[in-house]
Amino acid sequence: QVQDITARKLAAEELTHQALHDPLTGLANRRSLVADLERGIAEATNARPLLLALFDLDGFKTYNDTFGHPAGDALLTRLARRLQSVLDEHAMAYRVGGDEFCVLSTAEDPHALPQLAAEALAEQGEGFTVTASYGSVLLPVEASTATEALREADRRMYARKNSDSRSSAGRQSADVLLRILSERSPALGVHLDEVTALCDAVAQQMEMPEADRSPLLQAASLHDVGKAAIPDEILNKPGPLNDDEWAFMRRHTLIGERILSAAPALSRAAKLVRWSHERFDGMGYPDKLAGKAIPLASRIIAVCDAYDAMVSDRPYKDRTEQREARAELRRCAGKQFDPEVVEVFCAVLEERERAGVSATQDLPA
């Protein structure tokens, strides 16, 4: 009889577990999410908010149709494990639909988490690319009920997905230019991808509105497009440039602006590219703008671009260690760079290092 009671108890516990977890990935399911979200909202405060982040996979349907459902299930399982691996004890992962995931977190600084989770929910291989669009909400600051929170996170997720859609005129134009640059110089293509990834993480940390983030990412991915007009002997010169060569090189922001301005959907990005080499102290180019007169997006690009240039091998120099590069950014804060952006950027790097993510690992576009 004792064994019978124990068996029934174990069976009941197993049924409860099955009711609250996704059978494929083992993550908590939508039912668990709603219960945890309602409980979390009741306990959250403005000083210690609860983060809700929704994720929808981009490219998964194509992967599933191409490679078959067993391969699709295996991919979902891998992504779920990867998502769990980047979360600490303050965060919980859920699978809430076919290719939809969610994270709840009570971490003290939750702003970098959505980007880290999006990285975990991405995979690229021969003939496929799967990435994740996301929308996040802080509770109770931005919503007071579970229904409101889910609705707003869903709205933001699809706004981001639509702004990044490859069918958009801006994205199509940017993709064409990026292919041209990458074919001419694969190393330059990698640099642009890494700068874009870093800019996106900083923008997320600074809570930049979605309407401003989209042109920032366009500009970040194309900030060196004007270098297509720079001769290879200058671009790849192993030694220092002379005065005439520097004058030629400094024209690349103006050339970039002119190229992007030809596509109306990239008009905002064009201006950001123009000012991506201005300095906080007003000693940059081409317009000698200073301080907050330089758009925030251009100030972010300047920091991310300089860091990636320092930690990468170039024809004229060896790479700098990441710790030294951060120190150099801080040394130049207030002169070349916006001090606030530098500190946010360094915080992003440190957060990613704690999570075991490379400081220049590509992020989904």
Side-chain angles (χ1 to χ4, degrees), residues 53-352:
L54 290 181
F55 302 85
D56 186 79
L57 300 185
D58 302 316
F60 178 74
K61 183 179 184 303
T62 300
Y63 180 94
N64 219 24
D65 292 344
T66 302
F67 299 101
H69 293 290
D73 287 349
L75 175 62
L76 289 173
T77 302
R78 287 198 304 276
L79 296 180
R81 284 200 302 265
R82 207 173 297 153
L83 176 61
Q84 283 188 303
S85 73
V86 301
L87 303 182
D88 61 19
E89 68 275 13
H90 301 294
M92 179 87 170
Y94 306 79
R95 182 185 177 209
V96 293
D99 61 353
E100 295 182 350
F101 294 83
C102 178
V103 170
L104 286 181
S105 175
T106 57
E108 291 185 11
D109 183 13
H111 299 294
L113 181 58
Q115 190 62 61
L116 289 170
E119 293 173 27
L121 291 170
E123 187 168 309
Q124 185 170 358
E126 188 66 35
F128 77 92
T129 299
V130 174
T131 59
S133 296
Y134 63 85
S136 59
V137 177
L138 283 178
L139 308 162
V141 182
E142 298 177 314
S144 57
T145 68
T147 301
E148 286 178 9
L150 288 166
R151 185 187 301 121
E152 180 59 18
D154 192 66
R155 186 194 68 76
R156 293 180 182 183
M157 179 179 72
Y158 280 99
R160 185 181 186 89
K161 184 185 289 285
N162 291 334
S163 72
D164 288 343
S165 171
R166 292 186 178 274
S167 63
S168 72
R171 187 56 182 259
Q172 287 182 346
S173 301
D175 282 351
V176 169
L177 293 170
L178 280 169
R179 280 198 297 273
I180 293 170
L181 280 176
S182 296
E183 287 174 9
R184 183 186 176 194
S185 172
L188 184 56
V190 171
H191 168 67
L192 293 172
D193 288 344
E194 293 177 344
V195 170
T196 304
L198 292 169
C199 286
D200 196 18
V202 172
Q204 173 74 11
Q205 184 80 356
M206 297 187 78
E207 300 182 1
M208 178 178 279
E210 195 66 45
D212 295 328
R213 192 180 304 168
S214 182
L216 162 63
L217 299 184
Q218 289 174 340
S221 66
L222 293 166
H223 70 276
D224 279 339
V225 69
K227 289 183 178 178
I230 305 296
D232 285 341
E233 56 267 27
I234 294 179
L235 204 58
N236 299 320
K237 186 176 180 180
L241 302 181
N242 61 38
D243 290 345
D244 289 341
E245 289 167 339
W246 264 119
F248 201 100
M249 180 68 84
R250 288 191 178 105
R251 290 177 53 204
H252 84 270
T253 57
L254 297 176
I255 296 169
E257 179 193 25
R258 195 155 58 244
I259 291 171
L260 298 190
S261 294
L266 297 176
S267 58
R268 287 186 65 190
K271 288 296 185 185
L272 300 179
V273 167
R274 177 188 180 98
W275 295 316
S276 60
H277 284 267
E278 297 289 354
R279 289 173 50 114
F280 203 70
D281 61 7
M283 300 301 291
Y285 61 89
D287 299 317
K288 304 292 185 184
L289 299 183
K292 299 300 174 69
I294 307 167
L296 175 59
S298 294
R299 284 179 266 144
I300 292 173
I301 293 171
V303 172
C304 297
D305 180 36
Y307 176 82
D308 188 68
M310 284 189 281
V311 299
S312 303
D313 287 321
R314 293 297 174 90
Y316 50 86
K317 72 165 191 66
D318 294 328
R319 71 177 64 192
T320 303
E321 292 297 323
Q322 294 183 8
R323 187 183 302 274
E324 294 175 17
R326 284 201 297 268
E328 179 66 10
L329 289 178
R330 286 186 164 122
R331 188 183 69 79
C332 295
K335 294 175 285 188
Q336 185 172 352
F337 307 116
D338 180 340
E340 180 184 3
V341 173
V342 168
E343 287 310 310
V344 171
F345 178 80
C346 290
V348 165
L349 291 187
E350 289 159 7
E351 175 65 28
R352 297 179 72 181

